[in-house]
């Protein structure tokens, strides 16, 4: 998932960033609410993790403003505020979940997985497109009893494509989704990554599903299960 993590304490931000990245997520990590406010206006996220007490714009106000724009990505609130009334305020502001500090990193990852499963594309810890399955827990791709291991970056691109089926995604969109804010990929990074992912898809008989739309970008164009069965006949 593409995650925005906002935490003003570097001693907490760094381990949170590290554990989420190691789990295969793409994480934009910032320390203040104003920067986060700008990022959510520029980029689509699959999940927001917000500290309540932040400089410039608080996490709770950021959550309210985010919901007022009509955006629906899940929001996980992190805070030392642990009373029932605090939790009610957080949830009423638009948060989907609430985790009290100090944060247990194993519990955080479990909550992130749970929030990610709210998408109808997910079944348990697996993302489905036609008969292709992407397993979140071990970064593997499975189809027709063939299973292949993906690198973290290949997994991130595959997940991004599967979350936007049949949608043409430009190079800029892919760069913005897969590379953290403030980093600059090499000029041929997307081309190289797409080529590598096609090689992985070839191993499960799905190379042609990743289509190049010349002058526009790339599209995951998986056949419906009914079409696939007809093709086999």
């Amino acid at each position: 998932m593409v995650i925005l993590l906002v935490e003003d304490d570097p001693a907490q931000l760094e381990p949170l960033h590290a554990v989420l990245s190691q789990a295969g997520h793409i994480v934009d990590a910032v320390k203040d609410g104003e920067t986060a406010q700008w990022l959510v206006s520029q980029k689509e996220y699959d999940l927001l993790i917000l500290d309540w007490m932040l400089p410039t714009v608080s996490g709770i106000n950021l959550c309210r403003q985010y919901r007022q724009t009509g955006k629906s990505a899940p929001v996980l609130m992190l805070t030392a505020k642990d009373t029932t009334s605090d939790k009610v305020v957080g949830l009423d502001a638009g948060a989907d979940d609430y985790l009290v500090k100090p944060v247990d990193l194993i519990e955080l990852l479990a909550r992130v997985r749970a929030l990610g499963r709210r998408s109808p594309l997910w079944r348990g810890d697996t993302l489905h497109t036609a008969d292709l399955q992407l397993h979140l827990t071990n970064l593997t791709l499975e189809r027709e009893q063939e299973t292949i291991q993906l690198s973290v970056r290949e997994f991130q691109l595959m997940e991004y494509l599967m979350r936007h089926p049949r949608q043409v995604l430009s190079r800029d969109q892919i760069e913005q989704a897969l590379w953290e804010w403030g980093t600059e990929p090499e000029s041929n990074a997307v081309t190289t990554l797409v080529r590598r992912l096609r090689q992985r898809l070839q191993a499960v008989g799905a190379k042609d599903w990743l289509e190049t739309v010349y002058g526009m970008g790339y599209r995951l164009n998986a056949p419906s299960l009914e079409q696939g069965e007809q093709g086999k006949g």
Side-chain angles (χ1 to χ4, degrees):
M1 288 193 289
V2 183
I3 297 175
L4 175 62
L5 170 64
V6 194
E7 166 61 71
D8 64 326
D9 182 355
Q12 298 191 50
L13 180 67
E14 292 173 9
L16 291 171
H17 185 193
V19 75
L20 289 166
S21 299
Q22 288 166 7
H25 301 296
I26 303 140
V27 186
D28 287 340
V30 298
K31 299 177 183 176
D32 68 272
E34 190 172 11
T35 304
Q37 198 174 37
W38 180 82
L39 278 172
V40 295
S41 72
Q42 300 294 315
K43 183 172 177 178
E44 294 298 325
Y45 290 95
D46 300 314
L47 172 66
L48 278 64
I49 302 177
L50 308 177
D51 182 23
W52 185 312
M53 304 299 289
L54 291 170
T56 64
V57 179
S58 70
I60 200 75
N61 283 333
L62 185 61
C63 181
R64 287 195 185 100
Q65 293 166 10
Y66 183 73
R67 292 299 183 222
Q68 287 168 1
T69 65
K71 295 189 176 183
S72 59
V75 174
L76 171 59
M77 191 68 66
L78 301 182
T79 180
K81 293 175 175 288
D82 60 356
T83 68
T84 298
S85 60
D86 289 333
K87 294 176 184 177
V88 170
V89 170
L91 295 170
D92 284 347
D96 297 86
D97 199 0
Y98 198 101
L99 195 55
V100 176
K101 295 180 179 180
V103 175
D104 182 301
L105 296 179
I106 294 175
E107 181 180 359
L108 171 72
L109 289 177
R111 298 218 185 198
V112 167
R113 289 195 297 273
L115 291 169
R117 286 196 296 266
R118 293 188 177 187
S119 166
L121 297 171
W122 285 91
R123 301 173 198 164
D125 287 332
T126 306
L127 188 60
H128 291 247
T129 295
D131 59 350
L132 192 69
Q133 300 173 40
L134 183 67
H135 297 276
L136 177 64
T137 51
N138 55 11
L139 311 191
T140 59
L141 193 63
E142 179 182 356
R143 180 173 180 258
E144 295 184 343
Q145 300 182 333
E146 294 287 342
T147 301
I148 56 170
Q149 183 72 48
L150 302 181
S151 70
V152 171
R153 190 60 92 188
E154 291 162 358
F155 171 84
Q156 291 170 341
L157 176 57
M158 193 69 230
E159 182 187 11
Y160 184 57
L161 291 165
M162 291 177 75
R163 283 182 177 275
H164 301 83
R166 302 185 186 282
Q167 180 180 333
V168 178
L169 301 169
S170 69
R171 288 172 182 270
D172 285 346
Q173 286 176 299
I174 293 172
E175 287 182 0
Q176 192 179 62
L178 268 64
W179 274 265
E180 295 178 6
W181 176 64
T183 62
E184 188 73 25
E186 295 182 3
S187 59
N188 63 343
V190 171
T191 301
T192 302
L193 183 57
V194 167
R195 183 170 62 246
R196 282 168 39 198
L197 184 58
R198 277 206 176 101
Q199 292 170 349
R200 303 288 183 265
L201 286 167
Q202 186 173 23
V204 294
K207 177 184 176 183
D208 295 339
W209 293 16
L210 181 45
E211 178 186 3
T212 299
V213 182
Y214 290 100
M216 298 180 66
Y218 301 96
R219 173 169 55 195
L220 184 65
N221 206 11
S224 66
L225 288 176
E226 291 77 11
Q227 288 174 324
E229 290 302 319
Q230 289 170 5
K232 291 176 182 176

